[in-house]
Amino acid sequence: MEDPVVNVNDVNDLDAESAKIKELEDKISELESTLKSKDETITSLQSEVERLNTEIKSRSVPSKKPASAASDPKSKSVGAKKTTTRPASGARAVSKPAPVSNGVAKKPAGSPSKRTGSATTRPKSAATKPAGGKSSVGKKAGKVANKVEMTKGIDGEEHAVKLMLRGRGIVCYPPTDFTMDGIVSEKPEETLKINWVYGYRGRDSQDNIFCLPSNELLYFQAALGVIYNPATRTQRFYQGHNDDIRCIALNPANPSIVATGQAAGHDEKEGDPHVRVWNCETFETLAVLGLGTLQRGVGSVSFSPDGSKVIAVDEGNDHTIYVYDLKKKSTIAFQKGHQDPVLGAEYIPGQNSRFITYGKGHIIFWDQEGNKLLKKSGLFEKHPKPRFITSLAFTDKGEPITGDSNGNLFLWNPNERKISKSKVGAHEGSVYSIAVKGDEIYTGGQDCKVKKFKVADLSSEDAWELDSATHGRVKAVTFVGEDLAVGTYNNGVLFGKFGDQPEQIIYGHGAGDLWGGADHPSENTFATVGQDKVVYIWDAESHTPKHIFKVEKPAQACCFSPCGSVLAVASTTGEWWVLDSNNGLVLSSYKSGPEQIDAISYSPDGSCIAVGSHDNYVYLFESTNLREDYKPIGKCAGHSSFITHLDFSDDGKVLQTTSGDYEHLFWDATNGDQITSTKDMRDVTMATYTCTLGFPVCGIWPVGYDGTDINALSKSHNNKLLVTADDFGLVNLFRYPCCDPAAEWSSFRGHSAHVTKVRFLHGDKEVFSLGGRDQSIIQWGIC
């Protein structure tokens, strides 16, 4: 028997592999040693943490949240609940007296010299909040870090008030020889009533306009259900919600009954996501469904054909489908919807136990059997499966029609769950809405078109193209008699016959948050500017735009000149422009710093304009010629955070400002020099009052409030009323001056996001307010 032949190369390979194995084993041993060492370190640290916790508990010392001196109230954190709730209205208790160091607000230790980061977008606060408008007594607040505390009667002065905002002491001195005679602390006799809501929720919602039997339009904006009559141009409102309405449905068996679903809100009792069923004639709430079970929000809602049941889609991780008995106001059945987002749900016409859900990559046909929900997926077979199914409607025969993210239309057989007809490429991009009228299908899409198709073969007949820059995508289509109502991505509503030039009947701001607004000095008009780069000058009587202008950059603030002939508009990037308020012509343009401008105002005589920037400076310009040639005359340097508000004195010689770290400073408006003694300014009267600090407004701060909770305020021109805008979606009405820490107030709800601006209109008969994230404008009547 011959010896096997051994290949030298094979031996070398084996030696190399053995060496490699040994090298790997050495590395494994080294890693195991390192892991063991780290485990020992972790165990040691855990023991130390347990020891420290035990020591802290034995001393009974409450943990304190460190004060953040430069917390940005305009960069609201999303998702975190605040630890306090705003009292609805009423008297507030004063905290125990605190020691006084001095009468001048000083920069706290560790406060940054300027705000870090960018605040060009400002998400809403997620704080819990009760409904407003009812009197209640505020609870006494102890010394809580970062919460408002008040002390009255300090520094030897009976009426002086000290506010503690996030650890900063702010002393508010009354005018010389001030007395409380004539100062009323009760809430004002006047109330606010919503007269008009501008805009429509089209940017992040769709298929959300319905026609009532009265030919009125039903839709929603912010936390309001809105009924608009195109013939009389009037609005009515359902005000039962406390946060964003996300979806809406009309009862097919009784079209006076509406269901609306909301996101997680701000009310102690009804702050969880839920569905409200209400009567659109009486505005009576008939049922509240899903409280305590729905998680993040209601993504879709629908009535059964007989009106006895309501289905709701939860926006939680499981996208759970809930079926409710409307009469019993209880849950019949629920089932996990899909692992991917579910965008909508609709009952099949004539079938009270069968419905369809659709969303990312799926369409599901459901059957309800008692308290069980059975589901079967739709079959695309040879047809292209879309990334999203985005819309659903039904023919007169009850056949489902879907539109998808590929721009395709599919007609389904609901029994076989198969596609019977298709129209590939019906739109360029997503199909957001479908309306059926007889044998015709009308669709609205991402390509800014409304198209008409035949039900029989889905053949295309005609198209109605909208201006993409003005209106954007088509988000909703519905019939009002023979006319079409079309909701747009830029939060407007168009109205007219298909093929004709449509009339825009509802206007609103589009992209980005809404922060900029100003009242006209002598007319019943006001201006709003948004991060959508659009400037509106509104006629408060007709609730329509007198003028619509465009600017080059996202806008953040604005102000009229004292005569109203020009409008100064400030941007999120430091640029600001002087516009002719009648035609929008840019008369001159300037740049004040590299950052966002939140406050801008003319002096009472129009000879000076002050520009407050996020770079912590206020820039002063001489404006003797309002239309051009603004010359810099000074820069106010002294704030340690971004400028939030500013006001001129009656004579235009003094400027007061507030900042993101709650400084309240005064300046010589002729050159920008700081006036360091706050006490010396006690007898200076301000032409306007928009700063949230100072003796005339120190009573607006409830004890226990976070210093970021009040975003804006304004006093009436007749110096009788004061209105504030807060983080809880509330507009609050006080008497002016409001210098008693126990002052009462009334609160009014309509917004769903933090309210960013509030102003009295000329004549003091109305107020307008702006919602930041909800992009709404509400015009309130003073009753």
Side-chain angles (χ1 to χ4, degrees):
M1 182 176 180
E2 296 182 359
D3 294 333
V5 178
V6 178
N7 191 313
V8 176
N9 291 331
D10 290 342
V11 173
N12 291 338
D13 289 343
L14 288 172
D15 290 341
E17 289 175 359
S18 298
K20 184 67 174 178
I21 290 170
K22 188 175 186 309
E23 181 183 350
L24 291 173
E25 288 175 343
D26 290 341
K27 285 186 177 181
I28 290 170
S29 298
E30 182 181 348
L31 289 172
E32 287 176 343
S33 176
T34 302
L35 287 172
K36 183 178 180 181
S37 175
K38 289 186 180 295
D39 286 339
E40 291 172 353
T41 302
I42 290 171
T43 302
S44 175
L45 290 173
Q46 288 174 337
S47 299
E48 180 66 12
V49 169
E50 291 176 1
R51 184 189 69 77
L52 290 173
N53 281 331
T54 303
E55 183 177 342
I56 288 171
K57 290 179 181 178
S58 67
R59 294 178 183 176
S60 300
V61 177
S63 67
K64 293 185 178 182
K65 182 180 177 181
S68 175
S71 175
D72 189 344
K74 297 167 186 175
S75 295
K76 312 294 181 185
S77 62
V78 177
K81 293 280 184 183
K82 293 195 177 181
T83 57
T84 60
T85 56
R86 194 210 203 287
S89 62
R92 294 164 292 193
V94 182
S95 65
K96 296 179 180 180
V100 179
S101 56
N102 56 57
V104 180
K106 290 187 176 181
K107 175 181 174 182
S111 177
S113 60
K114 64 183 290 185
R115 181 190 62 86
T116 59
S118 173
T120 55
T121 59
R122 306 184 237 193
K124 72 175 183 180
S125 164
T128 57
K129 16 176 219 190
K134 295 183 179 179
S135 179
S136 64
V137 179
K139 296 180 180 179
K140 288 194 175 184
K143 291 185 179 180
V144 183
N146 298 339
K147 302 301 175 186
V148 174
E149 297 177 18
M150 286 186 179
T151 308
K152 187 176 179 181
I154 59 168
D155 204 17
E157 299 201 23
E158 177 186 1
H159 302 296
V161 174
K162 181 178 181 181
L163 295 176
M164 289 297 296
L165 294 178
R166 287 183 172 258
R168 178 185 291 278
I170 303 159
V171 177
C172 305
Y173 289 100
T176 307
D177 300 327
F178 172 84
T179 69
M180 289 296 290
D181 294 343
I183 302 297
V184 181
S185 298
E186 287 79 15
K187 64 182 180 181
E189 296 177 355
E190 295 86 347
T191 62
L192 299 181
K193 178 184 178 183
I194 297 176
N195 285 344
W196 196 263
V197 177
Y198 297 82
Y200 141 84
R201 194 65 177 256
R203 197 155 196 87
D204 58 0
S205 186
Q206 64 192 61
D207 235 358
N208 54 358
I209 301 179
F210 291 85
C211 178
L212 299 174
S214 59
N215 279 346
E216 294 174 294
L217 294 179
L218 170 69
Y219 57 96
F220 57 86
Q221 170 68 317
L224 298 167
V226 183
I227 296 174
Y228 173 75
N229 189 320
T232 61
R233 296 183 182 273
T234 54
Q235 290 181 338
R236 297 179 290 135
F237 313 100
Y238 174 72
Q239 297 176 249
H241 285 280
N242 57 69
D243 207 277
D244 281 316
I245 298 177
R246 305 297 299 273
C247 54
I248 191 167
L250 196 60
N251 189 335
N254 184 353
S256 65
I257 306 302
V258 179
T260 41
Q262 78 160 57
H266 308 273
D267 187 86
E268 289 181 333
K269 295 181 179 179
E270 296 183 347
D272 290 336
H274 62 271
V275 175
R276 302 184 81 85
V277 181
W278 46 280
N279 187 302
C280 66
E281 296 175 356
T282 65
F283 296 106
E284 176 189 3
T285 299
L286 305 176
V288 178
L289 308 172
L291 274 176
T293 56
L294 294 166
Q295 296 179 18
R296 295 180 185 168
V298 184
S300 181
V301 66
S302 178
F303 285 95
S304 61
D306 65 0
S308 65
K309 293 184 286 189
V310 172
I311 54 173
V313 178
D314 186 10
E315 292 182 328
N317 292 334
D318 291 335
H319 309 104
T320 304
I321 311 300
Y322 289 89
V323 180
Y324 299 103
D325 184 308
L326 189 53
K327 185 176 181 179
K328 295 181 180 179
K329 303 177 185 178
S330 61
T331 304
I332 301 173
F334 64 93
Q335 173 72 17
K336 178 179 178 179
H338 199 273
Q339 63 184 7
D340 291 320
V342 178
L343 300 183
E346 294 285 349
Y347 272 95
I348 297 175
Q351 301 189 44
N352 294 305
S353 296
R354 298 193 68 198
F355 59 90
I356 297 172
T357 61
Y358 59 93
K360 184 177 180 181
H362 70 272
I363 179 170
I364 297 177
F365 294 78
W366 297 78
D367 286 281
Q368 178 196 339
E369 296 181 0
N371 62 355
K372 294 183 179 180
L373 295 178
L374 309 176
K375 59 180 181 179
K376 295 182 179 180
S377 295
L379 306 174
F380 286 91
E381 298 182 314
K382 63 180 181 180
H383 300 280
K385 185 176 181 179
R387 187 163 179 262
F388 284 93
I389 291 182
T390 51
S391 54
L392 169 69
F394 296 91
T395 68
D396 291 346
K397 296 179 180 179
E399 300 168 298
I401 311 167
T402 59
D404 62 41
S405 54
N406 294 334
N408 301 330
L409 291 178
F410 294 138
L411 188 66
W412 295 77
N413 182 320
N415 297 319
E416 297 181 359
R417 310 186 320 281
K418 295 180 179 180
I419 296 170
S420 58
K421 295 185 181 69
S422 67
K423 179 67 176 181
V424 176
H427 282 269
E428 297 177 15
S430 296
V431 181
Y432 291 117
S433 183
I434 303 173
V436 178
K437 188 174 178 64
D439 62 351
E440 294 177 332
I441 302 170
Y442 294 79
T443 60
Q446 186 175 347
D447 53 7
C448 311
K449 294 178 181 178
V450 178
K451 290 188 171 184
K452 182 168 65 172
F453 302 88
K454 282 288 186 183
V455 171
D457 56 4
L458 297 184
S459 59
S460 177
E461 289 198 327
D462 204 353
W464 192 13
E465 187 167 1
L466 308 181
D467 180 68
S468 59
T470 303
H471 306 296
R473 310 165 190 173
V474 176
K475 300 302 292 291
V477 177
T478 194
F479 273 94
V480 183
E482 296 300 318
D483 294 317
L484 270 178
V486 177
T488 70
Y489 183 70
N490 287 342
N491 298 331
V493 177
L494 307 177
F495 190 77
K497 295 190 184 305
F498 181 78
D500 294 346
Q501 184 65 29
E503 175 191 6
Q504 185 158 359
I505 56 175
I506 298 294
Y507 291 81
H509 281 279
D513 286 9
L514 181 59
W515 284 81
D519 56 300
H520 194 281
S522 58
E523 298 177 2
N524 196 22
T525 61
F526 64 98
T528 59
V529 299
Q531 293 178 2
D532 58 356
K533 306 179 186 178
V534 177
V535 178
Y536 283 106
I537 297 182
W538 303 95
D539 184 328
E541 295 287 340
S542 65
H543 311 117
T544 57
K546 289 182 65 176
H547 306 291
I548 305 174
F549 310 136
K550 294 280 287 187
V551 290
E552 296 177 356
K553 301 290 179 66
Q556 189 72 12
C558 66
C559 67
F560 282 101
S561 63
C563 63
S565 64
V566 302
L567 179 73
V569 178
S571 74
T572 60
T573 54
E575 289 92 347
W576 56 280
W577 308 272
V578 178
L579 308 182
D580 186 310
S581 61
N582 290 314
N583 57 28
L585 179 67
V586 177
L587 304 173
S588 54
S589 60
Y590 307 90
K591 187 173 178 66
S592 295
E595 297 192 47
Q596 178 171 294
I597 296 169
D598 278 318
I600 187 168
S601 180
Y602 281 97
S603 62
D605 63 358
S607 63
C608 177
I609 190 170
V611 181
S613 171
H614 257 59
D615 65 6
N616 306 349
Y617 298 117
V618 179
Y619 299 85
L620 298 174
F621 292 81
E622 183 181 44
S623 55
T624 50
N625 181 351
L626 286 173
R627 300 181 68 82
E628 58 186 11
D629 197 24
Y630 286 50
K631 297 178 181 179
I633 57 173
K635 183 167 75 170
C636 305
H639 275 293
S640 53
S641 187
F642 56 93
I643 311 304
T644 55
H645 309 284
L646 53 84
D647 298 288
F648 279 95
S649 61
D650 276 342
D651 60 9
K653 295 180 179 180
V654 175
L655 184 72
Q656 73 167 354
T657 56
T658 52
S659 61
D661 59 351
Y662 324 114
E663 285 182 316
H664 181 209
L665 303 182
F666 293 86
W667 315 85
D668 184 333
T670 63
N671 55 25
D673 291 344
Q674 184 177 353
I675 302 170
T676 55
S677 175
T678 303
K679 197 170 185 177
D680 290 346
M681 296 292 100
R682 63 195 306 167
D683 293 320
V684 174
T685 303
M686 293 294 156
T688 60
Y689 215 109
T690 63
C691 288
T692 55
L693 298 172
F695 184 77
V697 300
C698 65
I700 67 171
W701 293 96
V703 175
Y705 236 33
D706 184 298
T708 66
D709 287 337
I710 296 176
N711 299 314
L713 64 77
S714 177
K715 73 175 178 67
S716 61
H717 303 93
N718 62 13
N719 297 323
K720 293 182 178 180
L721 294 173
L722 180 71
V723 65
T724 68
D726 70 21
D727 261 3
F728 309 117
L730 299 174
V731 174
N732 309 292
L733 192 64
F734 298 80
R735 295 178 186 268
Y736 183 86
C738 184
C739 50
D740 187 348
E744 298 179 358
W745 73 97
S746 297
S747 295
F748 305 91
R749 189 183 302 283
H751 293 285
S752 57
H754 52 293
V755 187
T756 57
K757 186 77 68 178
V758 63
R759 291 290 186 267
F760 285 88
L761 293 177
H762 178 68
D764 291 333
K765 293 181 180 180
E766 289 185 298
V767 167
F768 77 87
S769 58
L770 309 182
R773 182 56 59 89
D774 65 33
Q775 303 165 328
S776 63
I777 306 167
I778 299 181
Q779 190 172 318
W780 308 78
I782 301 174
C783 306

